[in-house]
Amino acid sequence: MNILEKFKVDKFYITVDPVIFTVINDELKILLIKRKHPPFQDMFALPGGFIKSNEELEQAALRELEEETGVKNVLLKQLNAYGQIGRDSRGRVISIPFFALINSDKIKLKSKTDAYDAEWVSAYKLPKLGFDHKKIIGDALNYLKSEIQKSNLAFQIMSEKFTFSELQHTYEAVLNEELDKRNFRKKMRELDLLKELKETKMEGAHRPAKLCSFKQKNYFRFAKF
Amino acid sequence: MNILEKFKVDKFYITVDPVIFTVINDELKILLIKRKHPPFQDMFALPGGFIKSNEELEQAALRELEEETGVKNVLLKQLNAYGQIGRDSRGRVISIPFFALINSDKIKLKSKTDAYDAEWVSAYKLPKLGFDHKKIIGDALNYLKSEIQKSNLAFQIMSEKFTFSELQHTYEAVLNEELDKRNFRKKMRELDLLKELKETKMEGAHRPAKLCSFKQKNYFRFAKF
DNA sequence: CCAAAAGTGTTAGTGATACACCCATGT
DNA sequence: ACATGGGTGTATCACTAACACTTTTGG
């Protein structure tokens, strides 16, 4: 018998809650499920679930994400835990959220199951949410807005090749504000993240746009802090 | 019988680990305990402990902190959780660290008990530490360095009245680098955090220094992000 | 008068913001 | 030729970083 059991140390349920963002049609979206069972039946919530004893936290988040939405191969970043007493009516549950920004084209949402419907929902126009997930999403959104300006996080969401305009529209969707075209390009060029290709995107009745791709595809921050 | 019990959802031990910094003699210190029992007997570790079912996370951190070190009335900030399998030999334990920067004059370390000796240890010259506490402290230190430059966090650590030099030395101790006197004062005046008092500090064979105090004593950030 | 810390301004460089016009293409 | 989005440069401002001398006190 383990010493912790001997001293009857309390144990807790732990959920991991993936907070997955994407941009679709120049609108920031978050991946939610519509709950088909209590608690919070018929309301939206994060696609989380309970960790198992033999899983790493991040592994568990990836598993839940795939089980409930079909999304996989995602780089997750842990956020602060939520553990307030009473936040889950089923018992004392500590939730550990995991953040990601992904390219929605690269994944396919699971067809609706009997337990959950996964859906992309506008992050700036959230529906009513179960648990304290509104708070969790709000905090995650602040993290996203901060991080996309301090790191090369955006590479996660863009296709292999893209135009400056497409990249800018992605930033605008995430930050929920308009950016100046010239300043945006200057900044991006200074950061030296992009390869500017010779190919162009021929589309529409206007000058073809040069395509770019990211030089590096591993996540890093620009600033010290 | 609760639905979570019915489905045999796994449960976990959770510890809270206060990561408490201060500055003593212009050196950044962290509050550690010397463990008198296994695991990691005779090594240093964070003064944490197991949460109880009826406690909020932060409450638990405050309780453990007071029990093991005598330190109380501290503003804590939750940091990311650590949950790797095997990080605690006694079982699967998820640790949630809580950060604070405090004024060591305002508190009194508990006299040594049979279970723990609490001690201030140089944060930039850490001894061997138990568990994964070295990693936790490193992450917390980065948080501290970032936060003290983006918020009025320093008010936590200064006495009611202090001189510009004392404040600067505190910043230097935290950041582990020297700062320019003129630039530091200019920056502080721009931020408009300080009341400059008429009193002076008479001490030593040199020009007396004007005393300052903080205008606000509630924590806030300057920057958006 | 000497030692020791307090106190003070200017300059140069860097990054952020604001802003308006020409270009290449399809129809 | 015109509509559409692609593409570019400059001026101003704010912030940062570098840097040296004078002031006030006690001994």
Side-chain angles (χ1 to χ4, degrees):
Chain A
M1 187 181 185
N2 177 308
I3 188 167
L4 300 182
E5 290 171 35
K6 189 173 142 203
F7 285 105
K8 298 208 167 91
V9 176
D10 292 338
K11 299 184 87 170
F12 296 78
Y13 297 110
I14 300 184
T15 61
V16 284
D17 288 313
V19 189
I20 310 299
F21 291 97
T22 195
V23 173
I24 299 175
N25 297 331
D26 296 339
E27 196 182 16
L28 184 66
K29 305 271 192 182
I30 181 167
L31 185 52
L32 298 177
I33 54 157
K34 194 154 204 175
R35 296 180 60 88
K36 294 197 177 168
H37 304 292
F40 300 106
Q41 188 166 6
D42 297 325
M43 287 173 78
F44 283 96
L46 293 166
F50 292 93
I51 313 186
K52 296 172 181 171
S53 290
N54 58 352
E55 278 179 319
E56 298 293 351
L57 299 177
E58 189 174 332
Q59 247 180 48
L62 289 169
R63 176 182 54 72
E64 290 288 347
L65 184 59
E66 186 172 357
E67 282 176 15
E68 302 194 7
T69 69
V71 173
K72 53 187 169 178
N73 293 325
V74 171
L75 179 66
L76 294 174
K77 167 71 174 72
Q78 190 196 128
L79 304 177
N80 270 9
Y82 295 75
Q84 202 169 39
I85 294 169
R87 60 178 292 284
D88 191 318
S89 52
R90 296 164 298 183
R92 182 73 190 277
V93 179
I94 313 292
S95 164
I96 302 180
F98 280 83
F99 160 87
L101 180 66
I102 68 172
N103 183 332
S104 64
D105 294 339
K106 289 187 189 152
I107 60 104
K108 224 186 89 182
L109 286 195
K110 202 163 189 168
S111 48
K112 304 187 175 208
T113 70
D114 50 343
Y116 309 103
D117 296 346
E119 243 178 83
W120 290 111
V121 174
S122 293
Y124 285 107
K125 283 178 274 175
L126 290 174
K128 260 211 164 314
L129 289 158
F131 308 100
D132 50 2
H133 288 184
K134 185 173 181 174
K135 168 81 173 134
I136 297 179
I137 293 169
D139 291 346
L141 181 50
N142 285 334
Y143 175 81
L144 165 58
K145 289 168 77 171
S146 165
E147 209 59 18
I148 202 169
Q149 299 190 80
K150 295 194 299 197
S151 75
N152 68 341
L153 179 60
F155 83 89
Q156 289 276 4
I157 202 177
M158 302 307 294
S159 314
E160 178 58 29
K161 296 173 184 178
F162 52 88
T163 67
F164 266 109
S165 289
E166 287 164 356
L167 186 61
Q168 181 176 343
H169 289 142
T170 301
Y171 271 82
E172 289 174 335
V174 167
L175 298 173
N176 200 27
E177 64 180 304
E178 296 198 346
L179 302 173
D180 179 89
K181 187 164 47 159
R182 284 159 292 184
N183 293 337
F184 181 80
R185 285 167 192 236
K186 201 189 319 167
K187 183 82 179 293
M188 282 295 147
R189 291 211 169 99
E190 273 166 18
L191 290 172
D192 195 34
L193 301 176
L194 303 178
K195 255 189 301 227
E196 300 189 35
L197 308 173
K198 286 177 187 150
E199 306 168 65
T200 55
K201 181 169 187 174
M202 302 288 279
E203 187 178 86
H206 52 79
R207 180 171 173 175
K210 268 188 237 152
L211 288 167
C212 300
S213 65
F214 279 95
K215 285 187 175 175
Q216 294 185 52
K217 296 198 176 160
N218 48 325
Y219 171 81
F220 62 92
R221 283 193 177 189
F222 316 135
K224 272 187 200 169
F225 302 116
Chain B
M1 189 177 184
N2 177 308
I3 188 167
L4 300 181
E5 290 171 36
K6 188 173 144 201
F7 284 106
K8 296 209 170 95
V9 176
D10 291 338
K11 299 184 84 170
F12 297 79
Y13 298 110
I14 300 185
T15 62
V16 284
D17 287 312
V19 189
I20 310 298
F21 292 96
T22 195
V23 174
I24 299 176
N25 297 331
D26 295 338
E27 198 182 15
L28 184 66
K29 305 273 191 180
I30 181 167
L31 185 53
L32 298 177
I33 54 159
K34 194 155 204 174
R35 297 180 59 90
K36 294 196 177 169
H37 304 292
F40 301 104
Q41 189 167 7
D42 297 325
M43 288 175 75
F44 283 96
L46 293 167
F50 292 94
I51 314 187
K52 297 172 180 170
S53 291
N54 57 353
E55 278 179 318
E56 298 293 351
L57 300 177
E58 190 175 333
Q59 247 178 49
L62 289 169
R63 175 182 55 72
E64 289 289 347
L65 183 60
E66 187 174 356
E67 281 176 15
E68 301 193 10
T69 69
V71 173
K72 53 186 169 177
N73 292 325
V74 171
L75 180 65
L76 294 173
K77 167 72 174 70
Q78 191 196 126
L79 304 177
N80 269 12
Y82 295 76
Q84 203 169 36
I85 293 167
R87 58 178 295 281
D88 190 318
S89 52
R90 297 166 296 183
R92 182 73 190 278
V93 178
I94 312 293
S95 164
I96 302 181
F98 279 83
F99 161 87
L101 180 65
I102 67 170
N103 181 334
S104 63
D105 294 338
K106 290 188 188 150
I107 60 103
K108 224 187 89 182
L109 286 195
K110 203 164 187 169
S111 48
K112 304 185 174 211
T113 71
D114 52 341
Y116 310 104
D117 296 346
E119 244 178 83
W120 291 112
V121 174
S122 292
Y124 284 108
K125 284 177 274 177
L126 289 174
K128 263 214 162 311
L129 290 158
F131 308 100
D132 50 2
H133 289 184
K134 186 173 179 172
K135 169 83 173 129
I136 297 179
I137 292 169
D139 291 346
L141 181 50
N142 286 334
Y143 175 79
L144 166 58
K145 289 168 77 171
S146 165
E147 207 61 17
I148 201 168
Q149 298 189 82
K150 295 193 299 197
S151 75
N152 68 341
L153 179 59
F155 82 88
Q156 288 278 5
I157 201 179
M158 302 307 293
S159 313
E160 177 58 27
K161 296 173 183 177
F162 52 88
T163 67
F164 266 109
S165 290
E166 287 164 356
L167 185 61
Q168 183 177 341
H169 289 140
T170 300
Y171 271 82
E172 289 174 337
V174 167
L175 298 173
N176 201 27
E177 65 179 304
E178 296 199 346
L179 302 173
D180 180 87
K181 189 163 45 158
R182 286 158 293 188
N183 292 338
F184 181 79
R185 286 168 191 236
K186 202 189 316 166
K187 184 83 180 292
M188 281 295 147
R189 291 214 169 95
E190 272 167 16
L191 290 173
D192 195 33
L193 301 176
L194 303 178
K195 254 188 300 224
E196 301 189 35
L197 308 173
K198 286 176 189 153
E199 304 168 67
T200 55
K201 181 169 185 173
M202 303 287 279
E203 185 178 87
H206 52 81
R207 178 169 173 174
K210 267 188 239 153
L211 289 167
C212 300
S213 65
F214 278 96
K215 286 187 176 174
Q216 293 185 54
K217 295 197 178 161
N218 49 324
Y219 171 80
F220 61 91
R221 285 193 175 189
F222 319 134
K224 269 189 205 169
F225 302 116

